[in-house]
Amino acid sequence: MNYHGTTILAVRYKGKLVVAGDGQVTLNQTIIKHNARKVRRLYQDKIIVGFAGATADALNLFDRFEVKLTQYNGNITRSAVELARDWRTDRYLRRLEAVMIAGDVQTTFLISGNGDVIEPDEDVIAIGSGGVAAQAAAAALVKHSGLDAEQIVREAMAIAASLCIYTNDKLTVEIL
């Protein structure tokens, strides 16, 4: 999946989860919005979710994920697996073009319509067009800097924004 207009980064470091998303929305070759909110809190503000892909599709998935979280009492693992199963098998949902990162105080997942529910080996994961740059920068900063989790995320997102034309520096940052 190759989504333009988005970088979402999640870093779990020293007891904190920080998730950030840039604000740029691109339609073909044109920037149509600078301050989109692609990172949100769900389930009593205990879970942070960020998305890359079609906005309407992602909002639909946010709603469906929140229903799963309520149904399974905030169990992020069970909710992620059930959402991915529904997403992969439902005829309507299969057409949704988005990918998500979801995390709570203990776990972070990448969730996709292919049925993927992936917990990263390292506590750094990113999606979207600038995801590779953001993830690489964050992983290096975790290993080789004295920065805290929020500073790592902000610096890594700045690096991604300097490299990816579909990513800007107008961030939404959520911290658990």
Side-chain angles (χ1 to χ4, degrees), residues 124-145:
V124 176
I125 192 162
I127 56 175
S129 57
V132 171
Q135 186 168 340
L141 290 167
V142 165
K143 289 181 182 175
H144 302 291
S145 78

Side-chain angles (χ1 to χ4, degrees), residues 17-78:
L17 171 66
V18 180
V19 181
D22 77 303
Q24 184 166 299
V25 176
T26 308
L27 181 61
N28 297 321
Q29 304 301 317
T30 305
I31 298 168
I32 58 172
K33 187 168 178 73
H34 296 279
N35 293 304
R37 185 170 169 81
K38 304 171 197 171
V39 175
R40 301 207 169 128
R41 288 176 176 259
L42 297 178
Y43 192 73
Q44 303 167 1
D45 291 339
K46 295 178 182 177
I47 294 173
I48 303 172
V49 179
F51 73 87
T55 305
D57 292 352
L59 293 174
N60 186 327
L61 290 167
F62 273 149
D63 291 343
R64 289 175 183 272
F65 191 49
E66 183 131 53
V67 167
K68 295 292 183 191
L69 289 165
T70 301
Q71 181 179 356
Y72 297 111
N73 298 315
N75 182 326
I76 189 171
T77 303
R78 177 88 187 266

Side-chain angles (χ1 to χ4, degrees), residues 11-14 121-124 135-148 152:
V11 173
R12 182 180 311 288
Y13 185 62
K14 293 187 177 179
D121 288 336
E122 298 181 16
D123 287 331
V124 176
Q135 186 168 340
L141 290 167
V142 165
K143 289 181 182 175
H144 302 291
S145 78
L147 301 176
D148 67 24
I152 288 168

Side-chain angles (χ1 to χ4, degrees), residues 5 8 87 122:
I8 304 294
W87 193 352
E122 298 181 16

